[in-house]
């Protein structure tokens, strides 16, 4: 999911940077004082999860968890993901600092989107909660892949074919993220259902 | 609404985090690692996504410092490519760029020191052959050619001998994120959270 340095054109880098700054500012404003530590913990989970390979068929996929972060934090997921990506770029060399804005948009925008799309489903106990969690995990990766493809296509039209292939290649990850989000939400619903209401309390 | 984390959840969270970074240690998914070195009359390029994950059939370009394309090719299934050393000016660098698929790109720069083009002993040896006692020009030319051939032979033999060492160094450098970096990153995130909380609380007061 991380785009490397030296691939994207300047307008896309600038556009991504500006969007990321605006999103982060909105997210920081929306974080409730009482939920800052939860945000930091979820940011840590995102930071570490991106390092994990899960063998799948001939290759392997790595977790992203932006759907889970999104439904739990809403707008606050933008600064959470942004900080984790910044540290990943700094400590591990993933992506890069010039491309950081675009990478934030690719991973955080879908997180916010799924919180709006499936947040109400996840907050209601029952079967719809599990379905909402699965769709949030799956949908976040789908949207991230579309944004990634869009960034690459916008830079060079020859990437179009590769971008289509990318969608097919990410299908296993979409299902996997959906399942992981479903399990985490069902676990939280049993032990700490209040955490699923974070996005509502943050708005008030 | 009370949203304080229960001890059970906090413990589960940290245990999961511990499991996550232990399983994360041998992997690196996002960074295309490129290494290149000069071996005799060849340039060897190795590209990988971390431990045992070679960047297969990735496009490799070699350009001069000014951007002139000198070579283009693809890595094999081991993520490796060998190509003849291109001719470069004495102070020119060789920039190797590998494109490992959508969004993945890495590069490596070989400096004149890496390429041995600015090695004082080598340049002196090749450029200024020792004067011969005899004045016979034919003999002198032959000696010079012999000297160059000998120099090339020695260079090839040394390259063959030290190639395993270079491969070993590449493998050693091809490690994923260290435990210190992973723990450090988590520490930074928690610390930044604490700082933000302190700052927001001060603003409230």
């Amino acid at each position: 999911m991380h785009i490397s340095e030296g691939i994207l054109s300047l307008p896309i880098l600038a556009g991504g940077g500006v969007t990321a700054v605006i999103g982060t500012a909105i997210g920081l404003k929306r974080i409730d004082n009482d939920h800052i530590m939860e945000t930091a913990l979820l940011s840590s989970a995102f930071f570490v999860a991106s390092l994990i390979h899960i063998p799948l068929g001939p290759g392997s996929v790595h977790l992203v968890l932006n759907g889970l972060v999104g439904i739990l934090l809403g707008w606050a997921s933008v600064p959470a993901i942004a900080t984790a990506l910044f540290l990943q770029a700094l400590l591990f060399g993933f992506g890069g600092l010039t491309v950081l804005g675009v990478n934030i948009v690719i991973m955080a925008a879908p997180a916010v989107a799924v919180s709006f799309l499936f947040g109400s489903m996840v907050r209601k106990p029952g079967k719809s909660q599990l379905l909402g969690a699965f769709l949030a995990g799956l949908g976040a990766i789908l949207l991230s892949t579309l944004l990634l493809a869009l960034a690459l296509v916008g830079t060079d039209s020859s990437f179009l074919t590769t971008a289509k292939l990318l969608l097919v290649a990410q299908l296993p990850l979409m299902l996997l993220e959906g399942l992981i989000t479903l399990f985490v939400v069902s676990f939280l619903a049993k032990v700490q259902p209040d955490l699923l209401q974070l996005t509502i309390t943050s708005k008030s | 609404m009370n949203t304080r984390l229960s001890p059970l959840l906090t413990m589960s969270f940290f245990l999961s985090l511990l499991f996550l970074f232990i399983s994360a240690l041998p992997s690196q998914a996002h960074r295309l690692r490129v290494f290149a070195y000069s071996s005799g009359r060849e340039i060897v390029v190795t590209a990988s996504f971390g431990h045992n994950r070679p960047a297969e059939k990735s496009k490799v370009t070699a350009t001069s410092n000014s951007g002139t394309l000198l070579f283009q090719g693809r890595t094999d299934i081991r993520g490796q490519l060998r190509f003849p050393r291109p001719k470069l000016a004495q102070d020119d660098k060789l920039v190797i760029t590998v494109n490992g698929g959508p969004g993945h790109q890495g590069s490596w720069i070989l400096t004149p020191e890496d390429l041995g083009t600015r090695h004082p002993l080598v340049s002196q040896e090749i450029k200024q052959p020792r004067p011969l006692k005899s004045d016979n020009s034919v003999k002198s030319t032959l000696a010079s050619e012999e000297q160059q051939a000998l120099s090339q032979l020695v260079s090839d033999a040394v390259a063959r001998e030290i190639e395993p060492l270079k491969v070993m160094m590449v493998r050693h450098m091809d490690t994923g994120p260290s435990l210190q970096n992973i723990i450090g990153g988590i520490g930074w995130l928690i610390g930044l959270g604490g700082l933000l909380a302190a700052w927001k609380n001060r603003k409230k007061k």
Side-chain angles (χ1 to χ4, degrees):
Chain A
M1 282 286 169
H2 297 65
I3 298 182
S4 310
E5 302 260 27
I7 290 179
L8 300 178
S9 63
L10 192 63
I12 290 180
L13 290 175
V18 171
T19 315
V21 168
I22 294 170
T24 308
I26 296 172
L28 282 172
K29 227 175 174 184
R30 295 272 184 121
I31 298 178
D32 185 15
N33 281 13
D34 297 333
H35 302 135
I36 289 173
M37 286 326 287
E38 284 89 332
T39 308
L41 287 175
L42 281 162
S43 182
S44 307
F46 177 89
F47 172 76
V48 177
S50 297
L51 299 168
I52 296 166
H53 273 196
I54 294 173
L56 208 74
S60 64
V61 292
H62 61 81
L63 295 181
V64 181
L65 294 189
N66 55 343
L68 178 68
V69 176
I71 50 165
L72 292 180
L73 297 177
W75 271 105
S77 59
V78 185
I81 290 173
T83 320
L85 284 175
F86 173 71
L87 286 171
Q88 282 182 351
L90 217 62
L91 297 173
F92 312 143
F94 292 174
L97 292 179
T98 59
V99 82
L100 183 66
V102 177
N103 281 333
I104 291 170
V105 173
I106 286 172
M107 287 182 239
V112 178
V114 295
S115 82
F116 283 110
L117 289 170
F118 308 110
S120 55
M121 279 174 86
V122 171
R123 283 188 286 273
K124 277 182 207 158
K127 279 183 184 171
S128 72
Q129 186 175 53
L130 298 181
L131 180 68
F134 179 77
L135 290 175
L138 183 143
I141 299 297
L142 174 69
L143 290 172
S144 287
T145 310
L146 286 173
L147 282 173
L148 172 69
L150 202 70
L152 295 174
V153 170
T155 301
D156 186 349
S157 56
S158 69
F159 275 17
L160 193 62
T161 320
T162 325
K164 282 176 192 164
L165 289 172
L166 204 65
L167 273 172
V168 179
Q170 296 285 15
L171 263 173
L173 180 64
M174 289 175 205
L175 295 170
L176 189 70
E177 289 264 338
L179 286 172
I180 288 174
T181 312
L182 184 151
F183 285 125
V184 173
V185 166
S186 70
F187 173 69
L188 288 176
K190 280 176 197 154
V191 298
Q192 189 98 17
D194 291 344
L195 270 182
L196 300 174
Q197 313 295 331
L198 275 181
T199 49
I200 291 182
T201 52
S202 295
K203 279 174 198 167
S204 58
Chain B
M1 186 176 283
N2 175 29
T3 54
R4 294 263 161 252
L5 294 171
S6 72
L8 173 70
L9 186 67
T10 314
M11 203 173 75
S12 322
F13 183 84
F14 278 106
L15 281 176
S16 315
L17 216 58
L18 186 75
F19 165 75
L20 286 181
F21 78 63
I22 287 170
S23 38
L25 283 177
S27 68
Q28 188 172 21
H30 320 277
R31 189 177 176 188
L32 177 63
R33 289 177 163 262
V34 178
F35 301 104
Y37 55 85
S38 161
S39 179
R41 278 171 275 192
E42 286 182 322
I43 300 291
V44 184
V45 182
T46 307
S48 80
F49 292 102
H51 296 277
N52 303 319
R53 293 194 65 221
E56 298 172 24
K57 292 168 189 169
S58 299
K59 191 180 164 190
V60 180
T61 52
T63 54
S64 68
N65 213 13
S66 54
T68 314
L69 183 68
L70 300 166
F71 183 83
Q72 202 169 329
R74 281 189 185 272
T75 56
D76 57 16
I77 51 164
R78 294 170 302 154
Q80 207 181 67
L81 175 72
R82 285 171 175 270
F83 60 91
R85 209 159 106 164
K87 278 183 184 169
L88 284 167
Q90 201 182 0
D91 291 329
D92 216 351
K93 292 174 185 168
L94 186 65
V95 183
I96 312 282
T97 308
V98 181
N99 192 324
H104 290 96
Q105 188 171 289
S107 61
W108 187 269
I109 297 170
L110 286 167
T111 61
E113 285 79 13
D114 298 331
L115 294 162
T117 50
R118 212 164 49 189
H119 196 287
L121 290 173
V122 173
S123 55
Q124 203 180 7
E125 192 76 15
I126 291 170
K127 281 180 182 171
Q128 296 169 0
R130 284 176 200 160
L132 294 169
K133 284 175 186 171
S134 164
D135 290 331
N136 190 324
S137 61
V138 178
K139 271 187 181 175
S140 169
T141 312
L142 278 173
S144 170
E145 278 172 6
E146 276 172 11
Q147 201 171 18
Q148 279 193 8
L150 183 66
S151 168
Q152 195 59 62
L153 275 173
V154 171
S155 168
D156 287 350
V158 172
R160 261 199 316 273
E161 287 301 313
I162 64 166
E163 173 100 16
L165 283 174
K166 289 187 174 177
V167 171
M168 213 158 76
M169 275 173 68
V170 167
R171 280 196 194 133
H172 181 70
M173 288 165 83
D174 190 15
T175 52
S178 67
L179 182 66
Q180 289 96 320
N181 279 343
I182 297 173
I183 295 174
I186 295 169
W188 266 103
L189 289 165
I190 306 290
L192 286 171
L195 275 176
L196 183 67
W199 182 66
K200 282 210 168 194
N201 279 329
R202 218 180 69 170
K203 257 177 81 177
K204 253 188 177 180
K205 283 175 189 173

